[in-house]
């Protein structure tokens, strides 16, 4: 009886821990649809060698992933293991993809920075906590979006007048062969854009101004 109980616990534990391939797929979903709008892109803005760090949080802990574009898909490095993932067909809650050349299907639901993913016999919930602001940041967000590092602007993802939500990617900066996403610190409307693709910027330089929604509003 003890042996059976131990085996049952072992299997349950194995199921609870997300597989490396499912974590890699979740990372790709976050990167390919960085704004969480359901509009997936099949490539990035720059060189294949550029890697984007993504911090993935699940019930079993946090995992760092490095994601780069590989020409026809994405390479995802997690704990020195690299998975090549190609997205084929993506609709509202289903996706067809290949991982290491094997075609598979998965179901997912994206809610802001969280993905509910069913793939490979597992059902997991993964949160992109890479750019989660601290509690203090959430309380004090003033809509003044500044550069987190020196570098070149490779993407401005919004236009004046766009509505944005806290944590949404607004600008992407390339620095040291890495892409750094600059996100909104509050919900609101884009009022002014000082950043332009191709510009070189300095750390703490003002990029975008957002008219922040009133916290005491409706």
């Amino acid at each position: 009886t003890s042996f059976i109980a131990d085996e049952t616990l072992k299997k349950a534990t194995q199921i609870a821990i997300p597989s490396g391939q499912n974590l890699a797929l979740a990372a790709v979903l976050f990167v390919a649809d960085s704004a969480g709008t359901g509009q997936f892109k099949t490539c990035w803005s720059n060189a294949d060698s550029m890697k984007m760090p993504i911090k993935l949080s699940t019930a079993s802990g946090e995992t760092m992933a490095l994601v780069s574009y590989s020409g026809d898909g994405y390479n995802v490095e997690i704990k020195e293991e690299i998975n090549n993932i190609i997205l084929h067909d993506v609709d509202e809650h289903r996706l067809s993809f290949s991982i290491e050349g094997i075609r598979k299907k998965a179901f997912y639901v994206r809610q802001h920075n969280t993905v509910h993913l069913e793939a490979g016999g597992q059902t997991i919930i993964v949160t992109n906590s890479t750019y989660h602001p601290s509690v203090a940041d959430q309380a004090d967000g003033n809509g003044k979006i500044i550069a987190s590092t020196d570098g070149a602007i490779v993407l401005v993802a919004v236009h004046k007048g766009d509505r944005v939500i806290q944590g949404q990617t607004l600008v992407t900066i390339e620095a040291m062969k890495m892409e750094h996403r600059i996100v909104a610190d509050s919900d609101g409307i884009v009022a002014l854009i000082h950043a332009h693709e191709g510009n070189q910027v300095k750390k703490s330089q003002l990029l975008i101004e957002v008219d922040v929604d009133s916290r005491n509003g409706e």
Side-chain angles (χ1 to χ4, degrees), residues 44-75:
W44 284 13
S45 54
N46 254 322
D48 293 355
S49 59
M50 194 175 302
K51 295 181 180 181
M52 179 178 289
I54 302 289
K55 183 189 290 184
L56 305 172
S57 298
T58 67
S60 61
E62 293 185 340
T63 302
M64 286 300 302
L66 290 175
V67 186
S68 58
Y69 184 58
S70 65
D72 58 354
Y74 295 85
N75 286 329

Side-chain angles (χ1 to χ4, degrees), residues 59-122:
S60 61
E62 293 185 340
T63 302
M64 286 300 302
L66 290 175
V67 186
S68 58
Y69 184 58
S70 65
D72 58 354
Y74 295 85
N75 286 329
V76 185
E77 181 179 345
I78 296 177
K79 296 180 180 178
E80 299 184 353
E81 178 180 345
I82 298 177
N83 286 292
N84 177 261
I85 296 177
I86 301 173
L87 298 180
H88 299 297
D89 300 309
V90 183
D91 61 23
E92 187 176 3
H93 297 302
R94 301 184 180 198
L95 64 100
S96 172
F97 65 100
S98 294
I99 186 163
E100 298 304 320
I102 301 174
R103 192 142 183 164
K104 298 184 178 184
K105 293 183 178 180
F107 298 89
Y108 77 99
V109 175
R110 174 79 179 268
Q111 296 177 313
H112 301 299
N113 284 331
T114 298
V115 164
H116 299 247
L117 179 65
E118 183 178 331
Q122 286 190 327

Side-chain angles (χ1 to χ4, degrees), residues 10-179:
K10 181 179 179 181
K11 289 181 180 180
T13 302
Q14 289 173 339
I15 292 172
I17 299 175
S19 69
Q21 289 191 346
N22 282 346
L23 287 174
L25 179 59
V28 168
L29 291 175
F30 287 126
V31 169
D33 179 21
S34 60
T37 61
Q39 301 298 313
F40 286 81
K41 60 182 180 179
T42 57
C43 64
W44 284 13
S45 54
N46 254 322
D48 293 355
S49 59
M50 194 175 302
K51 295 181 180 181
M52 179 178 289
I54 302 289
K55 183 189 290 184
L56 305 172
S57 298
T58 67
S60 61
E62 293 185 340
T63 302
M64 286 300 302
L66 290 175
V67 186
S68 58
Y69 184 58
S70 65
D72 58 354
Y74 295 85
N75 286 329
V76 185
E77 181 179 345
I78 296 177
K79 296 180 180 178
E80 299 184 353
E81 178 180 345
I82 298 177
N83 286 292
N84 177 261
I85 296 177
I86 301 173
L87 298 180
H88 299 297
D89 300 309
V90 183
D91 61 23
E92 187 176 3
H93 297 302
R94 301 184 180 198
L95 64 100
S96 172
F97 65 100
S98 294
I99 186 163
E100 298 304 320
I102 301 174
R103 192 142 183 164
K104 298 184 178 184
K105 293 183 178 180
F107 298 89
Y108 77 99
V109 175
R110 174 79 179 268
Q111 296 177 313
H112 301 299
N113 284 331
T114 298
V115 164
H116 299 247
L117 179 65
E118 183 178 331
Q122 286 190 327
T123 300
I124 60 175
I125 299 174
V126 186
T127 298
N128 179 3
S129 55
T130 312
Y131 303 100
H132 272 191
S134 66
V135 173
D137 289 337
Q138 292 184 46
D140 299 332
N142 61 7
K144 305 293 185 184
I145 311 304
I146 63 175
S148 61
T149 182
D150 295 354
I153 296 176
V154 295
L155 177 67
V156 178
V158 293
H159 300 89
K160 184 177 179 179
D162 285 355
R163 168 160 289 281
V164 296
I165 61 173
Q166 187 179 62
Q168 180 177 335
T169 299
L170 305 182
V171 176
T172 302
I173 296 175
E174 176 192 346
M176 302 296 291
K177 294 296 184 180
M178 301 280 284
E179 286 197 352

